[in-house]
Amino acid sequence: LWRDLHAMWQYAFMQHAFEAGTVVAVVAGLVGYFVVMRRLSFAAHALSHAGFEGAAGAVLVGLNPLTGLLAFTSIGGLAMAALGKRAASRDVQIGTVLAFMLGLGVLFISLYKGYATEAYSLLFGEILGISRGDVIVTLLVGVLLVAAVGLFFRRLLFASLDEDVAEARGVSIAGTGIIFMLLIAVATSIAVQVVGVLLIFALMVTPAAIAQRLARRPGQGVLLSVAIALVATWFGLFISYYAPYPVSFFITSFVFGLYMVVRLLVPNV
């Protein structure tokens, strides 16, 4: 195993993939735990699709697809938070914003006359094509996200457990919702590099769902969610080095299999 790992790390593209994948897994596991706790899985899914529309728009005007992806996920997150104050009752607002974003995506793709390879690669992820510059950007964004979650951890946890009590104690539910939707937007933007728009649940939701079922305390749940996301990402990269199949397939298969085992063997408490 050590010899295989040493041989794998001789290649720059594998080094970049492990480095970026590690950062993304930590961020996805951390933010994803609150996504599951606040019942906002649909929001994470919707923002990932909004990001693809932003990437398509960026390609249309000659910009980096990740620039458009981040812009659209941020705008979409702000719109969803502004239209619905309560996290648990935003399905209609999220669906409305998603439908509008999808319409824009169709327009952008129809206007673009070439083949938007960079934008389409975001659908399923392109972690093995990440450059050194992408790793640095991912690391900087990841550090900022972890710092932001740490800064608002108590407020997010309080509002996630019981919004009514949190509001009665002076916590701004609307403000917390806006902050958290922006955190989801940025986390989604960097996570699509690993698993892509269509498979965002693999890192943003499934590890957190497993952790929530196993952990007894929120702190334990966050750590377990991050650990599962890390193991899944490393496992996917290691297996893909030997098998000619997408990394995202192995990541999603690992977390889905683990979720099914936990679901069957661990009672929901």
Side-chain angles (χ1 to χ4, degrees):
L1 178 61
W2 176 252
R3 186 182 304 167
D4 290 342
L5 288 172
H6 185 267
M8 189 183 304
W9 273 77
Q10 299 301 310
Y11 299 98
F13 74 92
M14 289 302 298
Q15 295 176 18
H16 299 162
F18 269 97
E19 291 163 355
T22 297
V23 175
V24 169
V26 170
V27 170
L30 179 60
V31 176
Y33 187 79
F34 288 100
V35 168
V36 173
M37 183 180 286
R38 293 171 68 84
R39 298 181 295 280
L40 287 173
S41 300
F42 183 36
H45 181 66
L47 287 176
S48 66
H49 282 277
F52 175 71
E53 277 72 71
V59 170
L60 179 63
V61 297
L63 298 177
N64 188 313
L66 286 177
T67 302
L69 189 150
L70 180 58
F72 265 56
T73 52
S74 299
I75 293 171
L78 286 173
M80 293 172 189
L83 291 173
K85 179 181 178 182
R86 299 289 176 176
S89 59
R90 287 199 185 121
D91 283 356
V92 174
Q93 292 86 354
I94 292 171
T96 301
V97 174
L98 173 60
F100 174 66
M101 293 288 191
L102 288 173
L104 286 178
V106 172
L107 175 64
F108 294 153
I109 292 297
S110 65
L111 290 175
Y112 188 70
K113 302 306 179 183
Y115 186 68
T117 306
E118 291 181 289
Y120 282 116
S121 68
L122 295 175
L123 287 174
F124 298 100
E126 195 66 37
I127 189 171
L128 296 180
I130 290 178
S131 65
R132 171 58 61 182
D134 293 332
V135 172
I136 294 174
V137 171
T138 301
L139 177 60
L140 292 175
V141 174
V143 169
L144 290 175
L145 272 174
V146 172
V149 173
L151 181 63
F152 295 103
F153 185 85
R154 292 178 63 85
R155 184 190 301 183
L156 281 173
L157 182 60
F158 198 6
S160 300
L161 292 173
D162 195 321
E163 286 187 331
D164 293 327
V165 175
E167 188 172 36
R169 295 292 296 272
V171 176
S172 173
I173 298 302
T176 302
I178 291 173
I179 291 171
F180 187 65
M181 291 302 288
L182 284 175
L183 291 176
I184 297 177
V186 179
T188 300
S189 297
I190 64 173
V192 295
Q193 299 176 89
V194 178
V195 291
V197 167
L198 300 180
L199 304 174
I200 198 67
F201 281 115
L203 285 181
M204 285 288 289
V205 175
T206 313
I210 297 170
Q212 194 175 59
R213 205 172 184 89
L214 293 175
R216 295 293 179 266
R217 294 184 178 89
Q220 294 176 345
V222 169
L223 292 176
L224 186 56
S225 176
V226 170
I228 294 171
L230 278 171
V231 171
T233 302
W234 291 340
F235 170 82
L237 286 168
F238 183 77
I239 298 299
S240 67
Y241 181 72
Y242 298 98
Y245 303 108
V247 178
S248 54
F249 164 73
F250 297 111
I251 295 175
T252 54
S253 297
F254 178 87
V255 293
F256 176 74
L258 183 59
Y259 176 77
M260 292 303 297
V261 170
V262 171
R263 178 89 181 180
L264 292 172
L265 298 182
V266 180
N268 191 12
V269 294

